[in-house]
């Protein structure tokens, strides 16, 4: 029997139908000189990748000769801004005894020249600053990035949040090159095979839950890409894009406080529940009295944060309030007695009833929702009856 030999033989056998379970890529590991890595990171996702690279450095110093870490300076926080909150990766790099460079801009900054030569690979994971072309062109092998999504879907700084907000049941990780002009537009070198891996309990999964899942997978795809030399030119784009039926791509924009502002006119009960789970306590604005209770009230809109709520079965005769989503009401008659344990309720756009257990009115401590509403004089003075039941609405809908 005649046997083919050489680096291309495996692919020939693969095309002939032999060894069908082998990868389609059939790429031999590319040779490269020992890597002098400049690692740019910040959070737990980047820490996982840094630790994996450091472990590879210890095992194979011929493959990874050195690692220098770049992070942003700590920020002043607390009363009087007297405390410094360091970027988490700084402590991790210190524990690993790695050189640390704290910078808030790349302008005017030059990577160190090491005994073995200049930095030849830049790795940026959850860094936040754009690595300029000057540095990427100065590194022999350019730059790499690990992104916790199946690019090009969920490009942007908050892919984990937006993956959960979109209700996805699967996700993945991507190893890409650093683009010279744009975030998350590099060549995709490796990626979780379609359709991705399962998100456990997607209806209850939180960002920390998802982070704990993608951290080791991101570290694994980075080290595997290093071992295979996927960054050595010419690079091959290994990205995939599924069928048109998968829907439009989603941009994972930075999460802002306004993203927690409830849009009563457009958000369903599922939207509200999901955002509360993913983003944290949601808020709205309500008319709040701003003078003494024995005077004619004068009102202003103040922020109200809902720190505890749940969807409940509609109360008897309260369906009239569903016509105005976002109009809170109390299951009691005016004047309301806070000692009788009545609750605060509000309907969503899709007719679901939410009971608010706890809320924080701007300028006041977190409290039982009814007590907080009465203290802020948010409850109106008119009762609506339905049979024996009486309901008292707030002065105006939440906005």
């Amino acid at each position: 029997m005649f046997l083919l030999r050489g680096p291309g033989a495996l692919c020939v056998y693969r095309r002939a139908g032999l060894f069908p379970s082998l990868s389609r890529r059939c790429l031999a590991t590319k040779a490269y000189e020992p890597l002098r890595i400049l690692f740019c990171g910040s959070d737990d996702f980047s820490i996982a990748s840094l630790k994996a690279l450091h472990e590879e450095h210890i095992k194979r110093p011929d493959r990874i000769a050195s690692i220098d870490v770049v992070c942003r300076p700590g920020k002043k926080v607390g009363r009087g801004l007297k405390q410094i909150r360091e970027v988490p990766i700084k402590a991790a790099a210190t524990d690993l005894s790695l050189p640390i460079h704290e910078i808030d801009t790349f302008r005017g900054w030059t990577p160190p020249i090491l005994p073995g030569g200049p930095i030849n690979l830049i790795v940026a994971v959850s860094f936040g600053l754009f690595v300029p072309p000057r540095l990427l062109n100065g590194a022999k092998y350019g730059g790499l990035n690990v992104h916790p999504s199946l690019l090009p879907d969920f490009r942007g700084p908050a892919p984990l949040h937006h993956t959960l907000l979109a209700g996805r049941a699967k996700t993945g990780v991507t190893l890409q090159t650093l683009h010279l002009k744009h975030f998350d537009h590099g060549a995709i070198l490796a990626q979780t095979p379609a359709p991705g891996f399962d998100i456990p309990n997607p209806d209850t999964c939180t960002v920390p839950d998802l982070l704990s899942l993608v951290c080791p997978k991101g570290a694994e795809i980075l080290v595997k890409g290093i071992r295979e030399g996927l960054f050595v030119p010419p690079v091959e784009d290994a990205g995939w894009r599924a069928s048109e039926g998968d829907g439009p791509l989603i941009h994972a924009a930075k999460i802002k406080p306004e993203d927690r502002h409830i849009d009563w006119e457009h958000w369903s009960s599922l939207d509200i529940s999901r955002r509360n789970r993913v983003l944290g306590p949601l808020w709205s604005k309500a008319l709040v009295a701003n003078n003494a209770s024995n005077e004619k009230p004068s009102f202003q809109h103040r922020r109200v944060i809902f720190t505890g709520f749940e969807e409940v079965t509609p109360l008897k005769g309260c369906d009239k309030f569903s016509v105005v989503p976002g109009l809170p009401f109390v299951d009691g008659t005016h004047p309301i007695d806070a000692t009788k344990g009545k609750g605060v309720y509000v309907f969503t756009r899709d007719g679901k009833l939410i009971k608010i257990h706890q809320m924080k009115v701007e300028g006041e401590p977190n409290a039982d929702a009814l007590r907080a509403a009465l203290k802020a004089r948010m409850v109106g003075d008119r009762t609506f009856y339905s049979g024996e039941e009486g309901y008292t609405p707030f002065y105006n809908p939440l906005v």
Side-chain angles (χ1 to χ4, degrees):
M1 179 179 178
F2 179 75
L3 296 176
L4 294 175
R5 300 181 182 275
L10 198 58
C11 287
V12 173
Y13 290 130
R14 176 69 173 78
R15 295 190 193 100
L18 302 174
F19 312 121
S21 63
L22 295 176
S23 169
R24 292 178 179 273
R25 297 190 66 186
C26 301
L27 292 178
T29 299
K30 296 180 180 179
Y32 53 89
E33 65 182 51
L35 297 176
R36 297 174 293 277
I37 296 175
L38 186 69
F39 187 94
C40 309
S42 62
D43 59 10
D44 288 342
F45 186 64
S46 53
I47 288 173
S49 291
L50 176 63
K51 288 181 176 179
L53 285 181
H54 181 261
E55 184 177 346
E56 186 74 0
H57 160 62
I58 298 301
K59 292 179 180 178
R60 293 293 303 272
D62 59 317
R63 181 175 286 154
I64 299 179
S66 65
I67 305 173
D68 279 58
V69 176
V70 171
C71 65
R72 304 182 77 169
K75 293 184 178 180
K76 294 182 179 181
V77 296
R79 181 172 296 180
L81 301 179
K82 295 180 180 180
Q83 296 179 328
I84 302 294
R85 180 182 295 164
E86 301 288 1
V87 179
I89 201 170
K90 181 179 179 180
T94 301
D95 291 342
L96 298 174
S97 300
L98 297 175
I100 301 171
H101 311 273
E102 293 184 82
I103 62 172
D104 212 17
T105 177
F106 282 112
R107 183 172 298 174
W109 186 81
T110 302
I113 301 296
L114 307 172
I119 295 292
N120 57 10
L121 178 67
I122 299 174
V123 178
V125 183
S126 294
F127 185 48
L129 287 181
F130 188 80
V131 181
R134 169 177 62 87
L135 269 63
L136 293 175
N137 290 330
K140 180 176 181 178
Y141 299 118
L144 292 178
N145 167 257
V146 182
H147 192 79
S149 81
L150 293 174
L151 291 175
D153 214 6
F154 298 104
R155 281 183 175 130
L160 300 184
H161 295 78
H162 286 277
T163 295
L164 295 177
L165 289 176
R168 295 294 176 85
K170 294 181 180 293
T171 188
V173 293
T174 300
L175 178 66
Q176 63 174 333
T177 62
L178 289 175
H179 196 274
L180 293 175
K181 295 182 178 180
H182 305 288
F183 281 109
D184 302 333
H185 280 71
I188 295 176
L189 305 179
Q191 193 167 57
T192 303
F197 48 76
D198 291 334
I199 296 175
N201 305 313
D203 293 334
T204 59
C205 185
T206 64
V207 171
D209 293 337
L210 187 54
L211 180 62
S212 66
L213 174 66
V214 298
C215 275
K217 294 183 181 295
E220 180 183 0
I221 202 171
L222 173 60
V223 171
K224 189 172 186 292
I226 293 285
R227 290 173 180 169
E228 295 178 358
L230 299 184
F231 53 87
V232 179
V235 299
E236 176 186 351
D237 194 319
W240 65 273
R241 178 68 184 130
S243 66
E244 294 295 327
D246 287 346
L249 298 176
I250 296 177
H251 175 62
K254 181 179 179 180
I255 300 300
K256 305 181 295 295
E258 190 64 26
D259 294 321
R260 295 190 292 112
H261 187 175
I262 300 177
D263 183 345
W264 296 101
E265 184 179 354
H266 298 100
W267 290 6
S268 66
S269 174
L270 177 60
D271 294 329
I272 292 172
S273 174
R274 186 177 286 166
R275 284 186 178 250
N276 184 70
R277 167 168 53 90
V278 175
L279 304 181
L282 306 181
W283 60 274
S284 200
K285 286 188 176 182
L287 281 178
V288 175
N290 58 5
N291 58 7
S293 59
N294 59 350
E295 300 176 3
K296 184 178 179 180
S298 131
F299 295 92
Q300 64 177 170
H301 275 109
R302 291 164 70 184
R303 182 175 296 194
V304 178
I305 302 174
F306 304 108
T307 55
F309 64 85
E310 65 174 330
E311 183 180 326
V312 295
T313 302
L315 305 175
K316 183 179 179 181
C318 72
D319 54 311
K320 60 172 65 69
F321 290 101
S322 65
V323 178
V324 185
L327 176 60
F329 62 92
V330 178
D331 59 339
T333 59
H334 182 78
I336 301 296
D337 184 353
T339 64
K340 293 185 177 180
K342 300 297 183 179
V344 176
Y345 299 84
V346 61
F347 276 99
T348 62
R349 175 188 63 80
D350 54 339
K352 303 296 184 180
L353 184 63
I354 290 177
K355 182 176 183 179
I356 304 170
H357 295 293
Q358 298 272 320
M359 68 184 189
K360 184 183 185 308
V361 179
E362 185 178 351
E364 300 290 339
N366 187 49
D368 171 80
L370 180 56
R371 293 181 181 276
L374 292 175
K375 183 177 180 181
R377 301 177 69 192
M378 298 160 61
V379 182
D381 55 7
R382 183 180 178 187
T383 299
F384 289 85
Y385 289 94
S386 177
E388 297 180 357
E389 292 78 20
Y391 301 105
T392 305
F394 283 23
Y395 281 108
N396 282 98
L398 299 167
V399 295

